[in-house]
Amino acid sequence: MENWRENQEIIVMEGRIKVPYTWAAGEVGTRYLETLRDQRKFMGTRCPRCEIVYHPPRRNCPDCFEECEDWVELGSQGELQSYTVVRRHHPQLSPLPLPFAYGIIKLDGADTGFLHILSDFQEGELAVGSRVEAVFAEEREGNIRDVLFFRPVKGVD
Amino acid sequence: MAKKRVAVTGVGMTKQRSSRPDVTGIELINEAVRAALDDAGITRKDVDAIVIGNMDHFEGINYVDTWSVDGNGALMKPIMKVCTGGTTGTTVAMAAYYHVASGLFDKVLAIAWEKNSESDTTGAIITAFDPFWDRPCFAGAVAGLALEATQYMAETGATEEDAAYVAVRDRKHALLNPYAHLHINLTIEMVMESPYLSWPVKMGDMCPRTDGACALIFASEDVVDEFPHRPAWILAVADRHLWAYTSDPYVNQKMVGGTWFPAMEKATEEIYSKVGITDPLNQFDLAELYLPYSFAGLRYMESLGFCDRGGGPELVRSGATDLGGKCPVNPSGGVLSSNAIGATGLLRVAECALQLQGRAGERQVPNARLALATGFGGCFWSDELILGVDKPEKPRG
Ligand SMILES: [Zn+2]
Protein backbone atom coordinates (compact mmCIF):
# COMPACT_ATOMS: atom_id res chain seq x y z
CA MET A 1 0.00 0.00 0.00
CA GLU A 2 2.80 2.44 0.84
CA ASN A 3 4.17 2.17 -2.71
CA TRP A 4 0.89 2.61 -4.57
CA ARG A 5 1.78 6.22 -5.57
CA GLU A 6 4.80 5.14 -7.60
CA ASN A 7 2.78 4.02 -10.60
CA GLN A 8 -0.30 6.15 -10.08
CA GLU A 9 -0.85 9.62 -11.48
CA ILE A 10 -3.27 11.76 -9.47
CA ILE A 11 -6.70 11.61 -11.05
CA VAL A 12 -7.81 15.03 -12.31
CA MET A 13 -11.40 15.52 -13.44
CA GLU A 14 -12.15 18.14 -16.08
CA GLY A 15 -15.27 20.22 -15.76
CA ARG A 16 -16.95 23.23 -17.26
CA ILE A 17 -19.69 25.31 -15.66
CA LYS A 18 -21.76 27.01 -18.31
CA VAL A 19 -24.69 28.82 -16.73
CA PRO A 20 -27.04 31.06 -18.71
CA TYR A 21 -27.77 34.49 -17.24
CA THR A 22 -30.08 37.32 -18.28
CA TRP A 23 -28.72 40.63 -17.03
CA ALA A 24 -31.18 43.54 -17.14
CA ALA A 25 -29.73 46.91 -18.11
CA GLY A 26 -32.43 48.72 -16.16
CA GLU A 27 -34.09 51.96 -17.26
CA VAL A 28 -30.94 54.06 -17.09
CA GLY A 29 -28.78 51.55 -18.95
CA THR A 30 -31.48 50.94 -21.53
CA ARG A 31 -31.92 54.63 -22.28
CA TYR A 32 -28.17 54.95 -22.78
CA LEU A 33 -27.80 51.85 -24.95
CA GLU A 34 -30.86 52.70 -27.04
CA THR A 35 -29.44 56.16 -27.78
CA LEU A 36 -26.08 54.66 -28.63
CA ARG A 37 -27.68 52.11 -30.96
CA ASP A 38 -30.23 54.33 -32.71
CA GLN A 39 -28.52 57.75 -32.73
CA ARG A 40 -24.83 56.88 -32.32
CA LYS A 41 -24.67 59.27 -29.39
CA PHE A 42 -23.09 58.93 -25.97
CA MET A 43 -25.10 60.17 -22.98
CA GLY A 44 -24.08 60.77 -19.39
CA THR A 45 -25.93 61.60 -16.18
CA ARG A 46 -25.15 64.54 -13.92
CA CYS A 47 -25.28 64.58 -10.13
CA PRO A 48 -27.51 67.47 -9.02
CA ARG A 49 -25.31 68.15 -6.01
CA CYS A 50 -21.62 67.73 -6.97
CA GLU A 51 -22.37 68.16 -10.73
CA ILE A 52 -20.04 65.35 -11.79
CA VAL A 53 -21.12 64.05 -15.20
CA TYR A 54 -20.92 60.27 -15.15
CA HIS A 55 -20.18 58.17 -18.20
CA PRO A 56 -21.32 55.40 -18.34
CA PRO A 57 -24.45 56.86 -16.75
CA ARG A 58 -25.18 56.14 -13.09
CA ARG A 59 -28.60 56.25 -11.55
CA ASN A 60 -27.25 57.76 -8.37
CA CYS A 61 -24.06 59.55 -7.38
CA PRO A 62 -22.01 57.13 -5.26
CA ASP A 63 -20.77 59.96 -3.08
CA CYS A 64 -23.70 62.40 -2.67
CA PHE A 65 -26.21 59.56 -3.01
CA GLU A 66 -28.53 61.82 -5.00
CA GLU A 67 -30.54 60.57 -7.99
CA CYS A 68 -28.84 61.67 -11.21
CA GLU A 69 -31.89 62.59 -13.28
CA ASP A 70 -30.24 65.07 -15.70
CA TRP A 71 -29.07 63.53 -18.97
CA VAL A 72 -26.19 65.19 -20.80
CA GLU A 73 -25.17 64.56 -24.41
CA LEU A 74 -21.46 63.87 -24.72
CA GLY A 75 -19.01 64.05 -27.63
CA SER A 76 -17.91 60.97 -29.54
CA GLN A 77 -14.31 62.09 -29.14
CA GLY A 78 -12.34 62.31 -25.96
CA GLU A 79 -9.05 62.14 -24.16
CA LEU A 80 -7.10 58.95 -23.56
CA GLN A 81 -6.39 58.82 -19.83
CA SER A 82 -4.46 55.56 -19.86
CA TYR A 83 -3.95 52.56 -22.12
CA THR A 84 -2.21 49.23 -22.43
CA VAL A 85 -1.26 47.46 -25.66
CA VAL A 86 -2.21 43.81 -25.30
CA ARG A 87 0.48 41.35 -26.39
CA ARG A 88 -1.10 38.03 -25.43
CA HIS A 89 -4.19 36.74 -27.15
CA HIS A 90 -6.81 34.88 -25.11
CA PRO A 91 -8.97 32.90 -27.54
CA GLN A 92 -12.18 33.12 -25.55
CA LEU A 93 -11.80 36.56 -24.05
CA SER A 94 -9.83 38.89 -26.33
CA PRO A 95 -12.35 41.20 -28.02
CA LEU A 96 -10.24 41.72 -31.17
CA PRO A 97 -7.28 40.02 -32.82
CA LEU A 98 -3.86 41.42 -31.85
CA PRO A 99 -2.69 44.10 -31.89
CA PHE A 100 -5.24 46.06 -29.90
CA ALA A 101 -5.19 48.15 -26.75
CA TYR A 102 -7.44 48.75 -23.80
CA GLY A 103 -7.96 52.43 -23.06
CA ILE A 104 -9.63 54.58 -20.47
CA ILE A 105 -11.32 57.37 -22.37
CA LYS A 106 -12.86 60.54 -20.99
CA LEU A 107 -15.38 61.69 -23.57
CA ASP A 108 -15.82 65.41 -24.16
CA GLY A 109 -18.40 66.64 -21.67
CA ALA A 110 -17.91 63.81 -19.17
CA ASP A 111 -16.01 63.94 -15.89
CA THR A 112 -15.29 60.22 -15.64
CA GLY A 113 -13.28 57.96 -17.91
CA PHE A 114 -14.60 54.62 -19.12
CA LEU A 115 -13.05 51.49 -20.46
CA HIS A 116 -13.06 50.57 -24.13
CA ILE A 117 -10.91 49.10 -26.88
CA LEU A 118 -8.43 50.91 -29.13
CA SER A 119 -7.51 49.78 -32.63
CA ASP A 120 -6.38 51.30 -35.97
CA PHE A 121 -3.35 52.96 -34.40
CA GLN A 122 0.31 53.02 -35.41
CA GLU A 123 3.07 51.97 -33.05
CA GLY A 124 3.91 54.93 -30.81
CA GLU A 125 0.76 56.80 -31.76
CA LEU A 126 -0.97 56.35 -28.40
CA ALA A 127 -0.08 58.46 -25.37
CA VAL A 128 -1.75 59.53 -22.16
CA GLY A 129 -3.60 62.69 -23.23
CA SER A 130 -4.09 61.61 -26.89
CA ARG A 131 -7.33 62.59 -28.64
CA VAL A 132 -9.37 59.56 -29.70
CA GLU A 133 -12.67 59.04 -31.52
CA ALA A 134 -15.34 56.37 -31.60
CA VAL A 135 -15.82 54.09 -34.60
CA PHE A 136 -19.36 52.70 -34.67
CA ALA A 137 -20.51 49.32 -35.97
CA GLU A 138 -22.80 49.32 -39.00
CA GLU A 139 -25.09 46.77 -37.36
CA ARG A 140 -25.84 47.85 -33.81
CA GLU A 141 -27.49 45.71 -31.16
CA GLY A 142 -27.79 47.87 -28.06
CA ASN A 143 -24.59 47.05 -26.21
CA ILE A 144 -21.33 48.86 -25.58
CA ARG A 145 -19.73 46.98 -28.49
CA ASP A 146 -21.94 49.00 -30.85
CA VAL A 147 -18.78 51.07 -30.66
CA LEU A 148 -16.31 48.80 -32.44
CA PHE A 149 -13.32 50.61 -30.97
CA PHE A 150 -11.73 54.01 -30.50
CA ARG A 151 -8.83 55.25 -32.64
CA PRO A 152 -6.58 58.30 -32.66
CA VAL A 153 -8.25 61.39 -34.15
CA LYS A 154 -6.56 61.82 -37.50
CA GLY A 155 -5.00 65.16 -38.42
CA VAL A 156 -5.59 66.86 -35.08
CA ASP A 157 -2.80 67.66 -32.67
CA MET B 1 -15.13 50.75 19.61
CA ALA B 2 -13.03 47.67 20.32
CA LYS B 3 -13.60 46.06 23.73
CA LYS B 4 -10.56 43.77 23.79
CA ARG B 5 -6.98 43.94 22.62
CA VAL B 6 -6.22 41.20 20.11
CA ALA B 7 -3.06 39.35 19.12
CA VAL B 8 -2.00 36.76 16.57
CA THR B 9 -0.77 33.80 18.62
CA GLY B 10 -0.45 31.01 16.07
CA VAL B 11 0.67 30.83 12.44
CA GLY B 12 0.25 28.00 9.94
CA MET B 13 0.70 27.79 6.20
CA THR B 14 1.29 25.33 3.42
CA LYS B 15 4.27 25.67 1.16
CA GLN B 16 3.09 27.83 -1.74
CA ARG B 17 3.32 25.81 -4.96
CA SER B 18 2.19 26.10 -8.58
CA SER B 19 -0.06 23.05 -8.28
CA ARG B 20 -1.07 20.67 -5.49
CA PRO B 21 -2.90 17.79 -7.20
CA ASP B 22 -2.03 15.56 -4.23
CA VAL B 23 -4.67 17.27 -2.10
CA THR B 24 -8.20 18.57 -2.56
CA GLY B 25 -9.05 22.09 -1.45
CA ILE B 26 -10.45 20.69 1.80
CA GLU B 27 -7.21 18.86 2.48
CA LEU B 28 -5.09 21.88 1.55
CA ILE B 29 -7.06 23.97 4.05
CA ASN B 30 -6.54 21.28 6.67
CA GLU B 31 -2.75 21.39 6.26
CA ALA B 32 -2.68 25.07 7.16
CA VAL B 33 -5.26 24.72 9.94
CA ARG B 34 -3.43 21.88 11.65
CA ALA B 35 -0.15 23.77 11.37
CA ALA B 36 -1.73 26.84 13.02
CA LEU B 37 -3.35 24.82 15.82
CA ASP B 38 -0.08 22.97 16.49
CA ASP B 39 1.85 26.22 16.43
CA ALA B 40 -0.54 27.74 18.96
CA GLY B 41 -0.55 24.61 21.10
CA ILE B 42 -4.33 24.23 20.95
CA THR B 43 -6.80 21.83 19.38
CA ARG B 44 -9.92 22.23 17.26
CA LYS B 45 -11.97 21.99 20.47
CA ASP B 46 -10.41 25.22 21.81
CA VAL B 47 -11.50 27.33 18.83
CA ASP B 48 -14.54 29.54 19.50
CA ALA B 49 -15.27 30.65 15.93
CA ILE B 50 -13.84 30.51 12.42
CA VAL B 51 -13.57 32.95 9.53
CA ILE B 52 -12.67 31.56 6.11
CA GLY B 53 -12.14 33.15 2.72
CA ASN B 54 -11.23 32.49 -0.90
CA MET B 55 -12.62 33.55 -4.27
CA ASP B 56 -15.51 31.28 -5.24
CA HIS B 57 -15.00 31.51 -8.96
CA PHE B 58 -11.39 30.28 -8.89
CA GLU B 59 -12.44 26.80 -7.83
CA GLY B 60 -16.07 26.99 -8.93
CA ILE B 61 -17.26 26.04 -5.43
CA ASN B 62 -19.64 28.11 -3.37
CA TYR B 63 -20.31 27.61 0.35
CA VAL B 64 -16.66 27.00 1.08
CA ASP B 65 -17.45 27.39 4.77
CA THR B 66 -19.62 24.26 4.81
CA TRP B 67 -17.99 22.36 1.95
CA SER B 68 -14.63 22.40 3.70
CA VAL B 69 -15.91 21.65 7.22
CA ASP B 70 -13.91 18.40 7.40
CA GLY B 71 -10.71 20.33 6.91
CA ASN B 72 -11.44 23.71 8.44
CA GLY B 73 -12.32 22.49 11.94
CA ALA B 74 -15.76 24.12 12.02
CA LEU B 75 -17.85 21.02 12.71
CA MET B 76 -20.62 22.29 15.02
CA LYS B 77 -18.97 25.68 15.48
CA PRO B 78 -19.74 29.22 14.27
CA ILE B 79 -18.12 29.93 10.89
CA MET B 80 -18.53 32.66 8.30
CA LYS B 81 -17.06 33.12 4.86
CA VAL B 82 -15.83 36.46 3.59
CA CYS B 83 -14.81 37.20 0.03
CA THR B 84 -13.65 40.65 -1.05
CA GLY B 85 -11.58 39.73 -4.10
CA GLY B 86 -7.85 40.23 -3.82
CA THR B 87 -8.27 41.67 -0.35
CA THR B 88 -9.99 38.49 0.84
CA GLY B 89 -7.06 37.36 3.01
CA THR B 90 -6.69 40.68 4.80
CA THR B 91 -10.45 40.95 5.17
CA VAL B 92 -10.43 37.47 6.77
CA ALA B 93 -7.81 38.80 9.21
CA MET B 94 -9.87 41.90 9.93
CA ALA B 95 -13.06 39.89 10.40
CA ALA B 96 -11.27 37.55 12.85
CA TYR B 97 -9.95 40.64 14.62
CA TYR B 98 -13.47 42.09 14.84
CA HIS B 99 -14.75 38.81 16.32
CA VAL B 100 -12.22 38.96 19.14
CA ALA B 101 -12.06 42.74 19.60
CA SER B 102 -15.84 42.78 20.13
CA GLY B 103 -15.39 40.67 23.25
CA LEU B 104 -17.70 37.97 21.90
CA PHE B 105 -15.01 35.34 21.13
CA ASP B 106 -11.63 34.59 22.75
CA LYS B 107 -9.97 32.34 20.18
CA VAL B 108 -10.76 32.70 16.51
CA LEU B 109 -9.27 30.73 13.64
CA ALA B 110 -8.73 32.70 10.41
CA ILE B 111 -8.30 30.67 7.22
CA ALA B 112 -7.58 31.86 3.69
CA TRP B 113 -6.72 29.72 0.69
CA GLU B 114 -6.80 29.27 -3.06
CA LYS B 115 -6.11 26.56 -5.62
CA ASN B 116 -5.48 28.71 -8.66
CA SER B 117 -4.36 25.64 -10.59
CA GLU B 118 -7.99 24.50 -10.74
CA SER B 119 -9.28 27.20 -13.09
CA ASP B 120 -8.36 29.70 -15.76
CA THR B 121 -7.60 32.69 -13.51
CA THR B 122 -7.99 35.20 -16.32
CA GLY B 123 -11.25 33.64 -17.47
CA ALA B 124 -12.66 33.40 -13.95
CA ILE B 125 -11.66 36.90 -12.89
CA ILE B 126 -13.85 38.47 -15.59
CA THR B 127 -16.87 37.63 -13.41
CA ALA B 128 -15.70 40.40 -11.07
CA PHE B 129 -16.36 42.98 -13.80
CA ASP B 130 -19.60 44.73 -14.70
CA PRO B 131 -21.55 42.77 -17.34
CA PHE B 132 -22.61 45.87 -19.31
CA TRP B 133 -19.72 48.31 -19.18
CA ASP B 134 -16.56 46.26 -18.66
CA ARG B 135 -17.00 42.61 -19.61
CA PRO B 136 -17.87 43.08 -23.29
CA CYS B 137 -14.48 44.73 -23.84
CA PHE B 138 -12.24 43.54 -21.09
CA ALA B 139 -10.50 40.45 -19.74
CA GLY B 140 -8.16 39.50 -16.96
CA ALA B 141 -6.14 41.16 -14.26
CA VAL B 142 -2.94 41.96 -16.12
CA ALA B 143 -4.41 44.59 -18.43
CA GLY B 144 -6.18 46.38 -15.57
CA LEU B 145 -2.89 46.72 -13.74
CA ALA B 146 -1.14 47.77 -16.94
CA LEU B 147 -3.60 50.67 -17.31
CA GLU B 148 -2.51 51.83 -13.86
CA ALA B 149 1.18 51.45 -14.74
CA THR B 150 0.85 53.54 -17.92
CA GLN B 151 -0.84 56.34 -16.05
CA TYR B 152 1.75 56.20 -13.27
CA MET B 153 4.67 56.41 -15.70
CA ALA B 154 3.04 59.28 -17.61
CA GLU B 155 2.45 61.28 -14.42
CA THR B 156 5.78 60.69 -12.68
CA GLY B 157 8.33 59.79 -15.34
CA ALA B 158 8.95 56.41 -13.68
CA THR B 159 10.39 53.78 -16.01
CA GLU B 160 9.92 50.07 -16.65
CA GLU B 161 13.39 49.54 -15.22
CA ASP B 162 12.36 51.21 -11.96
CA ALA B 163 9.59 48.64 -11.69
CA ALA B 164 12.02 45.82 -12.48
CA TYR B 165 13.92 46.73 -9.28
CA VAL B 166 10.83 45.81 -7.28
CA ALA B 167 10.42 42.52 -9.14
CA VAL B 168 14.05 41.61 -8.45
CA ARG B 169 13.96 42.69 -4.80
CA ASP B 170 10.93 40.59 -3.88
CA ARG B 171 12.25 37.51 -5.73
CA LYS B 172 15.60 37.83 -3.96
CA HIS B 173 13.81 37.93 -0.60
CA ALA B 174 11.85 34.81 -1.59
CA LEU B 175 15.10 32.86 -1.88
CA LEU B 176 15.25 33.03 1.93
CA ASN B 177 11.68 31.79 2.42
CA PRO B 178 11.21 28.03 1.99
CA TYR B 179 7.43 28.56 1.89
CA ALA B 180 7.57 30.86 -1.17
CA HIS B 181 6.44 29.54 -4.55
CA LEU B 182 9.02 31.11 -6.91
CA HIS B 183 12.67 30.69 -6.05
CA ILE B 184 14.37 32.51 -8.92
CA ASN B 185 17.47 34.63 -8.68
CA LEU B 186 16.22 37.27 -11.11
CA THR B 187 18.20 40.15 -12.54
CA ILE B 188 17.01 43.49 -13.89
CA GLU B 189 18.03 42.33 -17.37
CA MET B 190 15.95 39.15 -17.08
CA VAL B 191 12.88 41.17 -16.14
CA MET B 192 13.47 43.70 -18.92
CA GLU B 193 13.92 40.94 -21.49
CA SER B 194 10.87 38.95 -20.42
CA PRO B 195 7.97 39.11 -22.93
CA TYR B 196 5.30 41.79 -22.71
CA LEU B 197 1.92 40.53 -21.55
CA SER B 198 0.21 43.89 -21.86
CA TRP B 199 2.55 46.84 -22.39
CA PRO B 200 4.23 48.08 -20.16
CA VAL B 201 3.76 44.98 -18.00
CA LYS B 202 6.06 42.04 -18.71
CA MET B 203 6.07 38.46 -17.50
CA GLY B 204 8.79 39.31 -14.97
CA ASP B 205 6.63 42.10 -13.48
CA MET B 206 3.68 39.84 -12.64
CA CYS B 207 2.84 37.60 -9.71
CA PRO B 208 2.51 33.85 -10.33
CA ARG B 209 -0.62 31.71 -9.93
CA THR B 210 -0.28 29.60 -6.82
CA ASP B 211 -1.94 26.88 -4.75
CA GLY B 212 -1.70 27.53 -1.04
CA ALA B 213 -3.41 28.10 2.29
CA CYS B 214 -2.73 30.08 5.44
CA ALA B 215 -4.31 29.97 8.91
CA LEU B 216 -3.83 32.21 11.93
CA ILE B 217 -5.08 32.12 15.52
CA PHE B 218 -6.42 35.43 16.83
CA ALA B 219 -6.66 35.60 20.63
CA SER B 220 -8.07 38.00 23.18
CA GLU B 221 -5.87 39.77 25.71
CA ASP B 222 -7.61 37.62 28.36
CA VAL B 223 -6.12 34.38 26.99
CA VAL B 224 -2.84 35.32 25.25
CA ASP B 225 -0.79 33.96 28.14
CA GLU B 226 -2.00 30.43 27.36
CA PHE B 227 -0.01 30.35 24.10
CA PRO B 228 3.65 29.34 23.71
CA HIS B 229 4.73 32.22 21.45
CA ARG B 230 4.74 35.86 22.36
CA PRO B 231 1.72 37.73 21.01
CA ALA B 232 1.92 39.79 17.82
CA TRP B 233 -0.57 42.51 18.72
CA ILE B 234 -2.95 44.00 16.19
CA LEU B 235 -2.57 47.72 16.86
CA ALA B 236 -5.20 48.92 14.40
CA VAL B 237 -6.98 48.10 11.13
CA ALA B 238 -8.51 50.26 8.40
CA ASP B 239 -10.03 49.67 4.99
CA ARG B 240 -11.53 51.62 2.12
CA HIS B 241 -13.42 50.40 -0.91
CA LEU B 242 -13.77 52.17 -4.23
CA TRP B 243 -14.75 50.54 -7.48
CA ALA B 244 -17.73 50.32 -9.75
CA TYR B 245 -16.01 50.20 -13.12
CA THR B 246 -12.46 49.46 -14.27
CA SER B 247 -11.77 53.13 -14.79
CA ASP B 248 -12.79 54.30 -11.31
CA PRO B 249 -9.91 53.55 -8.93
CA TYR B 250 -7.15 55.68 -10.37
CA VAL B 251 -8.58 57.73 -13.21
CA ASN B 252 -11.93 58.88 -11.88
CA GLN B 253 -10.33 60.59 -8.93
CA LYS B 254 -12.69 63.54 -9.15
CA MET B 255 -15.31 61.25 -7.62
CA VAL B 256 -13.40 61.11 -4.35
CA GLY B 257 -11.67 64.42 -4.02
CA GLY B 258 -8.85 64.08 -6.49
CA THR B 259 -6.42 61.99 -4.46
CA TRP B 260 -3.84 59.80 -6.19
CA PHE B 261 -4.99 56.36 -5.01
CA PRO B 262 -8.00 57.23 -2.89
CA ALA B 263 -8.72 53.87 -1.23
CA MET B 264 -5.16 53.38 -0.05
CA GLU B 265 -4.58 56.99 0.94
CA LYS B 266 -7.74 57.28 3.03
CA ALA B 267 -7.13 53.93 4.76
CA THR B 268 -3.55 55.01 5.45
CA GLU B 269 -4.63 58.36 6.89
CA GLU B 270 -6.99 56.58 9.27
CA ILE B 271 -4.66 53.83 10.45
CA TYR B 272 -1.64 56.10 10.85
CA SER B 273 -3.63 58.50 13.00
CA LYS B 274 -4.84 55.61 15.19
CA VAL B 275 -1.30 54.37 15.86
CA GLY B 276 0.59 57.67 15.66
CA ILE B 277 2.59 57.00 12.50
CA THR B 278 4.05 60.19 11.06
CA ASP B 279 7.26 58.86 9.47
CA PRO B 280 6.50 55.36 8.19
CA LEU B 281 9.93 54.74 6.65
CA ASN B 282 11.62 55.26 10.01
CA GLN B 283 8.87 53.99 12.33
CA PHE B 284 8.05 50.66 10.67
CA ASP B 285 10.64 47.89 10.94
CA LEU B 286 9.13 46.10 7.96
CA ALA B 287 6.16 46.19 5.61
CA GLU B 288 4.42 43.26 3.95
CA LEU B 289 2.59 44.85 1.05
CA TYR B 290 0.19 43.20 -1.36
CA LEU B 291 2.04 44.10 -4.57
CA PRO B 292 0.34 42.16 -7.36
CA TYR B 293 2.87 43.46 -9.90
CA SER B 294 6.10 45.35 -9.80
CA PHE B 295 4.85 48.88 -10.56
CA ALA B 296 2.72 48.74 -7.41
CA GLY B 297 5.94 48.60 -5.42
CA LEU B 298 6.73 52.11 -6.59
CA ARG B 299 3.35 53.78 -6.52
CA TYR B 300 2.07 52.32 -3.26
CA MET B 301 5.14 53.60 -1.38
CA GLU B 302 3.93 57.07 -2.29
CA SER B 303 0.32 56.45 -1.26
CA LEU B 304 1.55 54.88 2.01
CA GLY B 305 3.57 58.02 2.76
CA PHE B 306 7.02 56.40 2.61
CA CYS B 307 8.03 59.11 0.11
CA ASP B 308 6.51 61.96 -1.89
CA ARG B 309 4.54 61.46 -5.08
CA GLY B 310 6.93 60.34 -7.78
CA GLY B 311 9.54 59.38 -5.19
CA GLY B 312 8.91 55.62 -5.35
CA PRO B 313 11.69 54.79 -7.83
CA GLU B 314 14.37 56.67 -5.90
CA LEU B 315 13.28 55.10 -2.61
CA VAL B 316 13.35 51.57 -4.01
CA ARG B 317 16.66 52.05 -5.84
CA SER B 318 18.25 53.41 -2.62
CA GLY B 319 18.02 49.95 -1.06
CA ALA B 320 15.98 51.25 1.88
CA THR B 321 13.31 48.64 1.19
CA ASP B 322 15.71 45.68 0.77
CA LEU B 323 16.36 43.21 3.58
CA GLY B 324 19.05 45.00 5.59
CA GLY B 325 17.66 48.41 4.60
CA LYS B 326 15.83 50.96 6.73
CA CYS B 327 12.40 49.34 6.25
CA PRO B 328 12.49 46.05 4.36
CA VAL B 329 9.44 45.54 2.16
CA ASN B 330 8.21 41.99 1.63
CA PRO B 331 10.87 39.97 3.45
CA SER B 332 8.68 36.93 2.68
CA GLY B 333 9.17 37.42 -1.05
CA GLY B 334 5.73 38.95 -1.30
CA VAL B 335 2.95 38.42 -3.78
CA LEU B 336 5.38 38.57 -6.70
CA SER B 337 6.76 35.25 -5.44
CA SER B 338 3.55 33.53 -4.23
CA ASN B 339 -0.03 34.37 -5.10
CA ALA B 340 -2.65 31.91 -3.94
CA ILE B 341 -5.04 34.81 -4.31
CA GLY B 342 -7.47 34.22 -1.43
CA ALA B 343 -4.58 33.39 0.93
CA THR B 344 -2.34 36.22 -0.20
CA GLY B 345 -3.60 38.92 2.16
CA LEU B 346 -3.50 36.62 5.19
CA LEU B 347 0.06 35.62 4.30
CA ARG B 348 1.05 39.29 4.63
CA VAL B 349 -0.31 39.33 8.19
CA ALA B 350 1.31 35.94 8.90
CA GLU B 351 4.73 37.23 7.86
CA CYS B 352 4.36 40.32 10.06
CA ALA B 353 3.46 38.07 13.01
CA LEU B 354 6.42 35.73 12.43
CA GLN B 355 8.79 38.70 12.15
CA LEU B 356 7.49 40.31 15.34
CA GLN B 357 7.81 36.98 17.14
CA GLY B 358 11.39 36.59 15.90
CA ARG B 359 10.53 33.39 14.04
CA ALA B 360 11.21 34.37 10.42
CA GLY B 361 14.36 32.30 9.96
CA GLU B 362 16.94 33.49 7.45
CA ARG B 363 14.82 36.44 6.42
CA GLN B 364 14.35 37.71 10.01
CA VAL B 365 14.48 41.51 10.33
CA PRO B 366 16.55 42.14 13.49
CA ASN B 367 14.54 43.49 16.44
CA ALA B 368 11.34 43.92 14.44
CA ARG B 369 8.80 45.72 16.65
CA LEU B 370 6.35 47.43 14.31
CA ALA B 371 5.00 46.11 10.99
CA LEU B 372 2.54 47.18 8.31
CA ALA B 373 0.46 44.70 6.30
CA THR B 374 -1.72 45.65 3.34
CA GLY B 375 -4.25 43.94 1.11
CA PHE B 376 -5.02 45.03 -2.42
CA GLY B 377 -7.73 43.99 -4.78
CA GLY B 378 -11.35 43.53 -5.09
CA CYS B 379 -10.56 45.74 -7.00
CA PHE B 380 -8.26 48.59 -6.06
CA TRP B 381 -9.52 48.26 -2.51
CA SER B 382 -7.21 48.73 0.42
CA ASP B 383 -7.08 46.84 3.69
CA GLU B 384 -4.36 47.82 6.15
CA LEU B 385 -3.27 46.35 9.47
CA ILE B 386 -0.53 47.49 11.83
CA LEU B 387 1.00 44.88 14.13
CA GLY B 388 3.41 45.43 17.00
CA VAL B 389 5.36 43.70 19.75
CA ASP B 390 4.16 46.11 22.42
CA LYS B 391 0.70 45.60 23.84
CA PRO B 392 -1.37 48.68 23.02
CA GLU B 393 -2.35 50.75 26.05
CA LYS B 394 -6.03 50.36 25.15
CA PRO B 395 -8.22 48.70 22.50
CA ARG B 396 -8.14 50.92 19.41
CA GLY B 397 -10.34 49.63 16.60
ZN1 LIG C 1 -22.59 63.84 -6.41
Side-chain angles (χ1 to χ4, degrees), chain A residues 9-147:
Chain A
E9 285 289 300
I10 293 295
I11 294 170
V12 175
M13 183 173 69
E14 291 198 10
R16 173 172 290 265
I17 298 175
K18 201 166 180 180
V19 184
Y21 290 93
T22 48
W23 291 297
E27 291 171 352
V28 171
T30 298
R31 179 167 175 182
Y32 173 91
L33 292 169
E34 180 200 40
T35 312
L36 190 72
R37 179 189 65 202
D38 298 344
Q39 301 176 48
R40 294 199 262 194
K41 279 182 186 162
F42 295 95
M43 303 284 285
T45 54
R46 181 195 285 119
C47 172
R49 187 177 299 223
C50 71
E51 300 191 325
I52 286 181
V53 175
Y54 289 105
H55 177 259
R58 302 186 193 209
R59 187 168 194 131
N60 67 276
C61 175
D63 194 7
C64 310
F65 241 53
E66 299 279 344
E67 292 248 16
C68 301
E69 287 169 340
D70 290 348
W71 285 83
V72 181
E73 188 181 329
L74 309 171
S76 61
Q77 296 188 356
E79 182 190 306
L80 189 58
Q81 294 182 297
S82 193
Y83 68 99
T84 177
V85 183
V86 177
R87 303 292 179 98
R88 280 280 180 108
H89 194 255
H90 191 297
Q92 275 91 41
L93 296 173
S94 293
L96 292 177
L98 298 180
F100 71 92
Y102 293 118
I104 295 180
I105 298 140
K106 187 158 74 102
L107 293 177
D108 295 342
D111 289 311
T112 58
F114 86 118
L115 180 95
H116 214 280
I117 304 159
L118 298 154
S119 187
D120 192 15
F121 55 85
Q122 306 299 312
E123 180 136 9
E125 201 180 358
L126 300 178
V128 173
S130 292
R131 297 286 299 167
V132 294
E133 64 185 6
V135 177
F136 283 86
E138 283 304 312
E139 304 273 324
R140 293 181 302 280
E141 298 169 349
N143 64 58
I144 195 66
R145 292 301 306 281
D146 286 351
V147 180

